[in-house]
């Protein structure tokens, strides 16, 4: 049985990537590694609505504006959000990031703590960091409060991660293109298991396409979440 609860997952109703971030990523990464048409389609999507287990209709998720990127770092700590791993391989880091994005626990983590924990995974290079695409995965304060009232939490199991076909093809055609920003496009698939009060539980398949920055000699970081999944 598929669960209909709100989740920190990709959505498809939110705003697209902010114009300045889109220009930088398209100009320095996507335009080179993918075709112009694919890039426009990839960047023009939006994120999925979050749902509450007690609500019949979808509730609107928070849609941050470009002014929130990179945004102030909350001071409340990171609650149950795991710290970013020290990984220098793009697919492995993307898998860890997806697991983080699909996991949360409103019983011991506030919304600000969730954002703080997610923020720690981001690249410090603001030219490439699309914080709005990441913070937009977190439900708005009212919905988070409703989730907390239900003791809602989620865990994630990642089944696989891979470079999308278009990315691999473009990289094969021009291997040196990646050296400008060292941003890799990775799609991750998995399952999110959600639970709440009175034994409520469910599971859903998840998929996300991430932009991961992995410069030589450094740990990888998260640059952005694509508004649509690219296989």
């Amino acid at each position: 049985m598929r669960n209909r609860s709100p989740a920190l997952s990709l959505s498809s109703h939110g705003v697209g990537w902010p114009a300045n971030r889109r220009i930088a990523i398209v100009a320095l990464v996507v335009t080179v590694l993918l075709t112009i048409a694919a890039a426009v389609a990839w960047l023009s999507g939006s994120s999925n609505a979050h749902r509450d287990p007690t609500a019949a209709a979808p509730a609107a998720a928070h849609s941050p504006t470009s002014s929130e990127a990179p945004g102030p770092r909350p001071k409340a700590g990171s609650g149950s959000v795991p710290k970013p791993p020290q990984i220098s391989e793009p697919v492995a880091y993307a898998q860890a990031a997806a697991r983080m994005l699909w996991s949360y626990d409103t019983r011991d983590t506030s919304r600000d703590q969730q954002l703080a924990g997610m923020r720690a995974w981001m690249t410090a290079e603001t030219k490439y960091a699309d914080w709005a695409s990441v913070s937009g995965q977190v439900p708005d304060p009212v919905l988070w409060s409703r989730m907390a009232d239900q003791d809602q939490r989620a865990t994630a199991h990642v089944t696989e991660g891979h470079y999308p076909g278009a990315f691999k093809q473009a990289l094969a055609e021009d291997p040196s293109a990646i050296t400008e920003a060292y941003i890799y496009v990775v799609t991750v698939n998995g399952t999110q298991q959600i639970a709440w009060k009175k034994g409520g539980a469910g599971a859903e398949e998840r998929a996300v396409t991430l932009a991961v920055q992995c410069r030589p000699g450094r740990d990888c970081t998260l640059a952005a979440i694509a508004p649509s999944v690219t296989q």
Side-chain angles (χ1 to χ4, degrees):
M1 178 176 179
R2 288 177 61 83
N3 177 51
R4 297 293 183 183
S5 60
L8 301 185
S9 58
L10 287 180
S11 47
S12 63
H13 79 283
V15 296
W17 288 0
N20 60 332
R21 300 289 184 259
R22 180 164 44 206
I23 291 171
I25 294 175
V26 170
L28 298 174
V29 184
V30 183
T31 302
V32 177
L33 301 177
L34 306 175
T35 65
I36 292 294
V40 171
W42 190 48
L43 294 171
S44 62
S46 44
S47 310
N48 286 338
H50 304 291
R51 296 198 184 185
D52 181 73
T54 62
H62 177 54
S63 298
T65 63
S66 59
S67 63
E68 289 183 278
R73 185 188 299 273
K75 299 179 180 179
S78 59
S80 62
V81 183
K83 294 181 179 179
Q86 295 180 319
I87 297 175
S88 57
E89 199 283 316
V91 173
Y93 188 86
Q95 290 176 314
R99 191 177 299 109
M100 177 274 295
L101 290 167
W102 297 333
S103 303
Y104 60 90
D105 193 336
T106 63
R107 297 173 301 177
D108 59 15
T109 305
S110 69
R111 183 175 181 274
D112 282 350
Q113 288 176 316
Q114 188 73 30
L115 287 168
M118 294 165 68
R119 177 77 166 76
W121 290 65
M122 296 294 294
T123 175
E125 297 184 38
T126 57
K127 185 176 184 178
Y128 305 111
D130 185 3
W131 172 236
S133 69
V134 178
S135 62
Q137 308 305 303
V138 180
D140 64 47
V142 173
L143 182 51
W144 185 273
S145 177
R146 292 174 63 189
M147 292 164 61
D149 289 341
Q150 295 297 318
D151 290 342
Q152 187 163 314
R153 61 273 189 193
T155 56
H157 173 68
V158 170
T159 55
E160 66 88 34
H162 65 275
Y163 299 119
F167 178 86
K168 291 192 294 184
Q169 180 180 347
L171 191 58
E173 293 174 355
D174 186 1
S176 65
I178 197 72
T179 60
E180 174 66 33
Y182 284 98
I183 291 180
Y184 300 80
V185 179
V186 182
T187 294
V188 181
N189 291 284
T191 304
Q192 183 186 53
Q193 296 184 342
I194 307 171
W196 55 91
K197 280 182 177 179
K198 298 180 180 179
E204 291 188 348
E205 293 183 355
R206 297 292 184 199
V208 62
T209 297
L210 305 174
V212 175
Q213 186 176 48
C214 299
R215 290 195 179 278
R218 302 183 193 176
D219 295 329
C220 294
T221 54
L222 180 61
I225 298 176
S228 59
V229 177
T230 301
Q231 294 294 345

